[in-house]
Amino acid sequence: MSVRVRVVLTGILLVLSLLFALFAARATVSAFQSFQQERQQGDVQTIRPWMTIPYISHVYQVPENYLYDALHLSSARPSRRTTLQELAIRVHRPVGTVIHTVQASILLYRREHNQDHPRTLSRSGVRGGETT
C-alpha cells in the first residue's frame, strides 16, 4: 500500500475511534445522570443487599433509629458496616424480606412526615399521576 492510502485509512480509523469514544462518553454521562436523578428522588426500589442502614438513612433521609426499629433491631444494634445481607442472615430472614421492610418503612416515614418523594418520575416530568 502506498503511504497516501495508509494515511487516509489511519485517518478514517481515527475518526471512527473518536466517534465511538464520544458515543460511549455520552452514554456514560446519560447513565450517571439517570442514576443521580433516581438517587435524588430516593426511589426505594434501588435499595440493594450491599447497602448498610447508615447509608440508606443518609441517601433516603430517614433516621437510622427509625430503620432499626422497623427491623426490630433497636436493642441489639449491629455494626455500622453491617450490610442488609448480613442483617438478613443474623435475623434468619430472606434478604428480600429485609429489603422490603426497609422500603416500606421509608415510604411510611415519608407519608408520616409529608415528604414529597415520588417513587417514579415519568419521562414527561409528571410525578405520580399529576398533570401540569
Side-chain angles (χ1 to χ4, degrees):
M1 265 198 260
S2 72
V3 175
R4 185 177 186 144
V5 172
R6 286 184 186 175
V7 169
V8 170
L9 284 176
T10 304
I12 290 172
L13 290 175
L14 180 62
V15 168
L16 287 174
S17 298
L18 289 173
L19 288 174
F20 179 74
L22 288 173
F23 176 75
R26 184 175 178 202
T28 301
V29 168
S30 177
F32 180 75
Q33 288 173 340
S34 175
F35 175 76
Q36 287 293 87
Q37 183 179 12
E38 284 180 9
R39 183 174 169 220
Q40 288 171 353
Q41 290 174 351
D43 183 2
V44 297
Q45 298 302 315
T46 60
I47 294 175
R48 298 291 179 255
W50 59 264
M51 295 179 175
T52 64
I53 294 295
Y55 176 80
I56 294 168
S57 171
H58 175 74
V59 170
Y60 296 92
Q61 300 176 353
V62 176
E64 285 181 41
N65 290 338
Y66 190 86
L67 297 173
Y68 285 120
D69 288 344
L71 293 169
H72 307 291
L73 296 172
S74 55
S75 61
R77 274 202 185 173
S79 163
R80 293 182 59 80
R81 293 182 180 161
T82 303
T83 65
L84 293 181
Q85 177 74 47
E86 293 166 341
L87 282 175
I89 292 168
R90 183 178 183 177
V91 297
H92 308 291
R93 286 192 269 171
V95 70
T97 302
V98 172
I99 290 173
H100 179 73
T101 301
V102 170
Q103 291 169 335
S105 64
I106 291 169
L107 294 174
L108 180 61
Y109 179 85
R110 289 176 179 171
R111 276 194 297 271
E112 289 174 351
H113 294 85
N114 295 325
Q115 292 181 350
D116 182 27
H117 287 275
R119 290 179 65 166
T120 59
L121 181 66
S122 70
R123 289 180 186 259
S124 65
V126 178
R127 294 182 182 184
E130 299 171 0
T131 56
T132 54

